[in-house]
Amino acid sequence: MNENSALISTSTPPSLSFSSTVTSPSSTSTSSLPTTNQQAAKRRRRQTTASTIITRLKSFSNRSTTLEKNEWHETHVDPYHSAGRVTFEDAAERLQRGNNAIDNDNDNGVSSSSDDDDDDHDDDIESSQKPPATPTYLWHQVRVPVCVILIGFLSALVTTVINSLSKSLFSFRRFLVMSGFDFYGGSSSSSSSSNNTYANQVEAEAGSESEFHDDHQSSYNNFNILIYIIFSVSLAALSSLLTQLISPAAVGGGIPEIKSLLLGSYKRSLVTPSTILAKCVGLVLAFGAGLSVGKEGPLVHVSVALSDSLLRTSLFTPLRRHDALRLEILGCAAAAGVATTFGTPFAATIFSIEVTGRYFMVRNLPLTFLCAVSGTLSMKFLNSTGSGDGGSFQLFGDLPKMAKGYNFWDLLRFGGLGAICGLLGVLFIEGVGKMVKLRNNFLDEGVWGGVVVKRRRLAFVCTITLFVSPFMYLDVLYGADHQGDQQSMTNYMFDVQPLGLQPLLLLYLPFVFLTTILCVTLPLPVGLFTPVFLIGSTLGRVLGEILFLLRLSGDTMPWEMALIGAAGFSAGVTRAISTAVILLELSGEHHLKTPIGVAVLTAYYIGNFYTQNIYDALGTIGGNPQELELPRMLEEVIVEEVMKEYRVDDGGVIDLEMTVRNAARLIGNLNKTNQSLSDSSVLPVVESRSNMVLIGAVRVRDLRLSIEHIARTSGIVGENFQGSHPLLDEKISFVAFNKGEIQRFGTSAGGRNGGFIKPAEWNVPIDESPHRMLTTLKMSRVHLVFSMLKINQSFVTKTRGELVGVVHRSRLRAWLGEEKSK
């Protein structure tokens, strides 16, 4: 009998499957069979002695789970694996299916290649024969489009609920301002009938502006503003409390974190269902409080979190197992968030391209657009069936379409407006950055402690809201149409008739600029795009009115300058070209393509000269993983000078001779010495310690689960892995897949043997082709590989394959920071 037949023999009991020479404690002769009570006692003894190993490994698993949930960590090797390679999860599932096949097959345990075995992996392994058109096969062909369509619909559904609740709170908030209250009687002092509901009262008062101005001195008293402030502060405080109680990860706009997720890093707490709930509830309450915040960022975050939750369902779990496909679907979800906010599928698609990083996989463009269109159509449908308003997400109504040409002086005005927008955008980003740093220092748990920080957080939210609430009250009282919302002010800025330099127009620019800086830095689920859009339109309108009064506007009307200013300032703050497309899709004023393009590009390059965009700046301050930026002076440095070196005696290297005992010790030691190690971390596998030739990589989770299963089923004795059970000294079984067949790595000639050890859970799936690079590779190409492929680590080898080190994205980021600081 050769080694293979001994290793995979189906006639051997599970506890004897590692080797034909291993004997089981329970394999006694028939004449000395123990009684039933003795067998039960032996089983209990095995479970007790095995629990020590399991407990040790579980402690690592628990720490790993906490680390992955609350801290950024790098996913395993190469998300953009080539065709024919399978992920670790695929390997584990195939092992299990192969184990079931052994139980029903008589070919010494070699896994079959039946159609049933490959049903879930048509995307991974190319077949030489065309698969049959079965329902299962058809589902595999359409499940990705179905998934992105569902993401678009779910995003639209959540957005509709948020809009409805926000509108209700806004109506009540406006009612507090527009209705007089008698301090002692509590009755309304307005001129409308007391029998009317407050909704009818608001409608009646909004319809008569002149009557409002005549009576407001007698109808409003100081108690109105006090009630309004208490209402706003209460909602803001409630938003803060619920966000911290449900999910602290829901704080902020969300786009900086989403950009880090789409770069390949992962933080579980950002995409949990509790984060979705906290984000939605906190956003609605923040809007109800009247804060100058937006919805785009939070809705993008919610859409991505919804897609991650959808991928965890049984229908779409196979899609999640491919890191490349998972990242592409998350990028589609980002487009759905923008599409459901503004109803602009083309701009949403471009936004998804911009937010995914420096490089975009063009093959994902149709799916991204499909998801954006799904979200837009779903919003149209839900709005038309719910409220009868199919265009509720539009920021302003129809504007006159005036096709005309532009001369040199026109373009000079547009470029000047773009330059002003770019400079003010820099000022806005600097202001937000300083406020965020001030907030972080005020809420530093390392300095003040957790209990004190909770009180300080609530005090910070209440103080800022208390400061801005009187201004918001005045905005409702004296603002455009006495509405006090962003849509009415946007309509006011885009009024086709010249407004002149009214006090309202001149005072509103510094008002909205300062209040937005204060509000978007609150530790609440708030966005900033819509307020930024409003700041830009106000800036453009003021400049347009000035040029119109001086007769220097040419054929450009003030409302057109407002539209151009909105696009320019948004681009100056976010550095997203998609803002131009959003404006064009919303307004339909295609004659402004050239002016908007000139203003957007001018603001973009002027802003880039001074600062990062707002999302990267907030991500840097928040410590989120960012896109790597390589200075030219470091392009010629070779990777050997940057890598983490591996030595022969390094505890983080696995070889084919490693035993179960040593593997268990390895995880225990790494748990103590490497606090950044998690279940998703990847360890290199070398042929032997003597030659250090890299042959693959294994994930820590797969190695841990294999040892746990051996301990649980075989009753290994020994608290410190010092027991004498034969399984402790057996070699770890590494298996891989090649053209649909299971192959076991070993030390025999050829390096691989067919089949795998039974039971399947005792085997460890190995990635045969982890990303690697030579020691002499220059950093210019290293940077290109990490940025384009979105890998998080790469092993470094010599020309003959000897492992010498590893380069992690985090190590590159730290090295670049050190070099820039010199």
Side-chain angles (χ1 to χ4, degrees):
M1 180 184 293
N2 57 26
E3 183 182 358
N4 287 351
S5 61
L7 288 169
I8 61 177
S9 173
T10 58
S11 61
T12 308
S15 59
L16 303 179
S17 297
F18 270 80
S19 173
S20 60
T21 61
V22 179
T23 60
S24 171
S26 61
S27 59
T28 58
S29 63
T30 306
S31 60
S32 59
L33 285 175
T35 64
T36 304
N37 292 336
Q38 291 174 326
Q39 290 177 335
K42 184 173 292 186
R43 283 196 299 270
R44 287 194 298 270
R45 225 173 16 251
R46 287 182 178 180
Q47 293 172 357
T48 302
T49 53
S51 63
T52 303
I53 294 178
I54 296 174
T55 301
R56 277 174 173 256
L57 297 177
K58 283 296 184 183
S59 65
F60 168 79
S61 176
N62 294 336
R63 186 189 65 80
S64 173
T65 301
T66 303
L67 174 68
E68 293 180 2
K69 181 177 181 180
N70 299 319
E71 298 181 17
W72 287 104
H73 70 279
E74 297 169 344
T75 54
H76 62 266
V77 197
D78 184 2
Y80 287 94
H81 52 271
S82 59
R85 279 176 52 188
V86 294
T87 60
F88 292 112
E89 290 84 354
D90 291 326
E93 181 178 330
R94 291 195 182 188
L95 281 175
Q96 182 59 48
R97 291 188 296 119
N99 186 38
N100 297 335
I102 289 180
D103 294 334
N104 301 305
D105 204 350
N106 295 320
D107 59 355
N108 288 331
V110 179
S111 175
S112 64
S113 57
S114 63
D115 293 337
D116 291 338
D117 286 341
D118 291 331
D119 277 346
D120 292 335
H121 303 280
D122 293 329
D123 300 336
D124 308 327
I125 300 179
E126 298 178 357
S127 174
S128 59
Q129 298 180 353
K130 185 177 180 180
T134 62
T136 301
Y137 170 74
L138 294 177
W139 166 244
H140 290 164
Q141 301 306 308
V142 302
R143 61 184 173 186
V144 176
V146 169
C147 181
V148 298
I149 290 174
L150 284 177
I151 291 171
F153 175 76
L154 292 175
S155 300
L157 184 62
V158 172
T159 303
T160 302
V161 174
I162 290 176
N163 288 343
S164 178
L165 295 176
S166 300
K167 187 176 180 180
S168 299
L169 282 178
F170 167 76
S171 299
F172 184 73
R173 181 170 61 88
R174 183 174 178 274
F175 168 72
L176 294 179
V177 179
M178 303 298 292
S179 300
F181 285 86
D182 181 73
F183 182 81
Y184 298 100
S187 60
S188 175
S189 61
S190 64
S191 59
S192 61
S193 172
S194 61
N195 294 326
N196 293 337
T197 62
Y198 81 84
N200 294 331
Q201 183 179 347
V202 169
E203 182 179 354
E205 290 177 351
S208 179
E209 181 177 347
S210 60
E211 181 181 350
F212 168 81
H213 282 293
D214 292 337
D215 298 338
H216 81 275
Q217 291 293 339
S218 60
S219 300
Y220 297 98
N221 49 51
N222 294 333
F223 191 65
N224 288 94
I225 190 171
L226 179 61
I227 289 293
Y228 180 86
I229 292 175
I230 293 175
F231 178 77
S232 297
V233 172
S234 299
L235 287 186
L238 186 59
S239 175
S240 176
L241 290 174
L242 291 179
T243 301
Q244 293 300 318
L245 179 64
I246 301 173
S247 175
V251 168
I255 290 183
E257 291 78 12
I258 296 306
K259 293 187 72 171
S260 297
L261 280 176
L262 295 178
L263 287 175
S265 300
Y266 192 70
K267 189 176 181 180
R268 176 74 179 104
S269 60
L270 287 174
V271 290
T272 58
S274 60
T275 300
I276 299 175
L277 177 61
K279 202 83 173 180
C280 296
V281 174
L283 178 61
V284 169
L285 293 175
F287 256 88
L291 301 178
S292 179
V293 296
K295 297 179 183 177
E296 181 199 42
L299 290 179
V300 169
H301 188 175
V302 168
S303 297
V304 173
L306 284 171
S307 67
D308 186 85
S309 298
L310 188 63
L311 290 176
R312 292 178 181 274
T313 61
S314 57
L315 280 177
F316 302 108
T317 299
L319 304 181
R320 180 178 176 78
R321 292 174 182 161
H322 300 267
D323 276 350
L325 189 56
R326 179 181 63 85
L327 291 178
E328 290 171 359
I329 292 176
L330 295 185
C332 294
V338 178
T340 56
T341 304
F342 299 113
T344 54
F346 292 97
T349 303
I350 298 176
F351 173 83
S352 176
I353 296 174
E354 292 179 309
V355 80
T356 51
R358 186 176 280 107
Y359 300 98
F360 178 80
M361 302 299 289
V362 179
R363 70 183 183 190
N364 198 39
L365 191 60
L367 282 178
T368 305
F369 188 62
L370 175 63
C371 193
V373 170
S374 172
T376 303
L377 293 179
S378 298
M379 280 293 293
K380 286 281 188 182
F381 173 76
L382 292 172
N383 285 326
S384 62
T385 57
S387 61
D389 182 11
S392 62
F393 43 59
Q394 294 183 358
L395 288 176
F396 45 85
D398 292 335
L399 298 176
K401 298 172 176 57
M402 305 161 60
K404 56 187 177 181
Y406 300 96
N407 56 35
F408 172 77
W409 299 108
D410 292 330
L411 297 180
L412 193 62
R413 282 191 292 271
F414 305 147
L417 176 57
I420 295 174
C421 290
L423 293 174
L424 279 182
V426 171
L427 182 62
F428 181 85
I429 294 172
E430 290 292 334
V432 171
K434 290 186 181 299
M435 276 298 300
V436 170
K437 291 179 181 178
L438 176 65
R439 180 200 69 187
N440 292 345
N441 292 334
F442 187 74
L443 303 178
D444 190 350
E445 291 190 6
V447 176
W448 307 104
V451 177
V452 176
V453 165
K454 290 181 180 179
R455 298 172 183 170
R456 281 176 162 248
R457 182 181 294 109
L458 185 60
F460 183 82
V461 171
C462 293
T463 301
I464 297 296
T465 308
L466 186 63
F467 177 78
V468 302
S469 291
F471 298 100
M472 297 299 178
Y473 178 87
L474 295 175
D475 184 26
V476 178
L477 200 59
Y478 300 105
D481 297 329
H482 311 294
Q483 296 291 326
D485 65 327
Q486 295 167 342
Q487 182 171 345
S488 62
M489 286 305 301
T490 306
N491 288 332
Y492 177 77
M493 297 303 168
F494 294 139
D495 192 336
V496 295
Q497 299 299 325
L499 301 175
L501 295 179
Q502 300 179 9
L504 171 63
L505 191 63
L506 296 176
L507 293 176
Y508 192 74
L509 180 60
F511 159 75
V512 71
F513 190 89
L514 295 176
T515 56
T516 301
I517 289 178
L518 293 175
C519 292
V520 299
T521 56
L522 291 174
L524 303 174
V526 295
L528 54 81
F529 185 84
T530 304
V532 164
F533 179 89
L534 188 54
I535 293 172
S537 63
T538 307
L539 174 63
R541 186 76 195 209
V542 170
L543 183 59
E545 294 290 349
I546 293 175
L547 293 177
F548 184 79
L549 291 176
L550 296 177
R551 301 183 182 277
L552 297 176
S553 61
D555 294 331
T556 306
M557 297 299 293
W559 69 267
E560 294 175 306
M561 293 293 285
L563 200 60
I564 298 169
F569 188 75
S570 300
V573 172
T574 65
R575 315 289 156 75
I577 304 299
S578 57
T579 56
V581 187
I582 291 176
L583 264 296
L584 291 174
E585 284 195 81
L586 283 174
S587 66
E589 303 299 325
H590 299 296
H591 72 283
L592 294 177
K593 292 192 297 289
T594 300
I596 287 178
V598 171
V600 164
L601 289 175
T602 305
Y604 178 92
Y605 284 107
I606 288 180
N608 265 353
F609 183 79
Y610 291 101
T611 63
Q612 295 176 296
N613 65 70
I614 186 68
Y615 302 130
D616 289 343
L618 292 177
T620 301
I621 296 174
N624 300 334
Q626 299 292 310
E627 186 78 27
L628 300 174
E629 296 291 343
L630 182 68
R632 288 186 176 273
M633 61 181 179
L634 301 177
E635 290 182 351
E636 299 300 317
V637 177
I638 60 175
V639 69
E640 190 175 19
E641 300 180 19
V642 183
M643 69 180 186
K644 172 189 174 184
E645 185 178 359
Y646 275 130
R647 300 181 300 275
V648 177
D649 58 346
D650 200 309
V653 178
I654 301 172
D655 62 86
L656 293 180
E657 302 294 326
M658 179 166 285
T659 62
V660 175
R661 186 198 311 272
N662 292 335
R665 287 174 176 171
L666 170 69
I667 294 181
N669 292 334
L670 289 176
N671 186 28
K672 297 177 181 178
T673 59
N674 189 354
Q675 292 300 313
S676 63
L677 190 75
S678 68
D679 260 356
S680 61
S681 300
V682 175
L683 300 177
V685 179
V686 297
E687 187 175 292
S688 67
R689 295 278 178 169
S690 58
N691 58 30
M692 292 291 286
V693 174
L694 181 67
I695 62 171
V698 297
R699 195 170 57 174
V700 172
R701 177 179 180 272
D702 297 316
L703 184 61
R704 177 180 61 80
L705 292 179
S706 175
I707 300 173
E708 281 185 18
H709 195 272
I710 294 173
R712 185 179 294 110
T713 58
S714 303
I716 297 177
V717 182
E719 182 177 358
N720 296 313
F721 312 108
Q722 301 295 333
S724 58
H725 197 287
L727 289 181
L728 279 174
D729 297 315
E730 287 296 329
K731 300 173 184 176
I732 294 291
S733 172
F734 300 103
V735 292
F737 296 91
N738 187 16
K739 297 181 180 179
E741 296 181 357
I742 300 174
Q743 294 179 324
R744 178 171 178 260
F745 276 66
T747 56
S748 59
R752 291 192 295 190
N753 298 316
F756 56 88
I757 294 174
K758 179 187 177 182
E761 292 83 356
W762 289 4
N763 298 269
V764 180
I766 185 173
D767 181 4
E768 297 180 86
S769 52
H771 198 280
R772 65 187 76 188
M773 52 185 61
L774 294 177
T775 55
T776 55
L777 192 66
K778 294 183 178 180
M779 287 306 299
S780 58
R781 301 181 68 178
V782 173
H783 177 260
L784 179 65
V785 168
F786 272 79
S787 299
M788 181 175 291
L789 297 183
K790 299 183 180 179
I791 62 174
N792 280 311
Q793 75 173 49
S794 178
F795 296 110
V796 182
T797 63
K798 295 182 179 179
T799 53
R800 294 186 179 181
E802 303 97 323
L803 176 68
V804 294
V806 64
V807 178
H808 294 275
R809 181 182 290 269
S810 56
R811 187 174 183 86
L812 278 179
R813 191 178 296 111
W815 175 76
L816 288 172
E818 293 173 359
E819 293 296 326
K820 291 179 181 179
S821 62
K822 291 181 180 179

